[in-house]
Each structure stands twice: as structure tokens, then as C-alpha cells.
């Protein structure tokens, strides 16, 4: 588990750089961003407890780690997916830790007209706001 002091400080830092969107349903990152494969993601730096160097990390992954109280592993075949399809949203209720293949399958839902989600097995359905 991550130390309480670290959790409180990191959560406060994230909250300083967000704004509510969609009547308060999405919490959008207003800080630094990076574009990867045509999608813009929020990005920040974090110095994890007992780690000497700062790490660049997607803010949605950091937010999910803070909610769980643990550092998520890197490159293990799992992603933190945006259920709402808003790549800068950090609302924990709109995030899901799931296999990369499920994350990719969510794009099918997003591109249907109108957007619709028929489910992803044991994982949460997409959220369309």
C-alpha cells in the first residue's frame, strides 16, 4: 500500500489541474498532455515512495493507482481504460483496469452510430455521456 501522506499529496496535485465536464460527470485533466496514435492523454510526473527518480505517467493511470492505494505494474498486458471514451477524464468511476484487448474492443462501441455498448464480458460497459 502507498503511504497516506503520498496519497493525499498526489490526489491534491491532480485535483488542482482538473475541471468538471458533462454536468460534473467527467473530471477532465487540464495539465500537460501528450498525443499518442491520434488521441490526447493527460500526463504528469510522479516520484513514487522509495523510488529515487520521477516517472512520466498518464494521469488516468496515476488516478487509478491512487484510488487503489497501490502502484500499478507497467507493461503487463493491462490498461486503465476510459469507459466514457474521454481520454483526459480522470473520474475513477469512468476508469477500468482491464486487458489491453478489452480496451481495444471498446473502440468498436465508440464508433457505432449511435454509440452503443453490448458489454465486454466480466468488465464494465462503456459509458456514453
Amino acid at each position: 500500500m502507498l503511504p497516506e501522506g503520498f496519497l493525499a499529496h498526489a490526489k491534491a496535485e491532480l485535483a488542482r489541474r482538473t475541471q468538471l465536464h458533462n454536468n460534473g460527470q467527467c473530471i477532465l485533466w487540464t495539465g500537460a498532455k501528450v498525443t499518442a496514435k491520434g488521441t490526447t492523454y493527460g500526463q504528469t510526473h510522479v516520484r513514487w515512495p522509495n523510488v529515487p527518480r520521477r516517472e512520466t505517467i498518464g494521469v488516468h493511470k496515476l488516478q487509478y493507482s491512487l484510488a487503489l492505494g497501490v502502484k500499478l505494474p507497467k507493461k503487463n498486458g493491462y490498461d486503465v481504460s476510459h469507459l466514457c471514451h474521454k481520454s483526459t477524464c480522470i473520474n475513477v468511476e469512468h476508469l477500468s483496469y482491464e486487458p489491453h484487448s478489452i480496451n481495444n474492443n471498446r473502440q468498436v462501441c465508440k464508433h457505432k452510430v449511435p454509440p452503443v455498448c453490448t458489454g465486454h464480458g466480466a468488465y464494465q460497459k462503456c459509458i456514453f455521456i
Side-chain angles (χ1 to χ4, degrees), residues 66-112:
L66 297 175
L68 294 177
V70 297
K71 181 181 177 191
L72 296 175
K74 282 184 172 182
K75 309 227 183 236
N76 66 342
Y78 278 72
D79 298 330
V80 176
S81 299
H82 293 91
L83 301 177
C84 62
H85 298 281
K86 307 274 189 289
S87 61
T88 59
C89 182
I90 64 167
N91 181 345
V92 176
E93 294 177 8
H94 293 187
L95 302 175
S96 176
Y97 190 60
E98 58 196 21
H100 182 70
S101 60
I102 298 293
N103 188 8
N104 282 344
N105 288 343
R106 291 189 182 283
Q107 296 307 308
V108 173
C109 303
K110 177 182 176 181
H111 294 293
K112 288 182 181 176

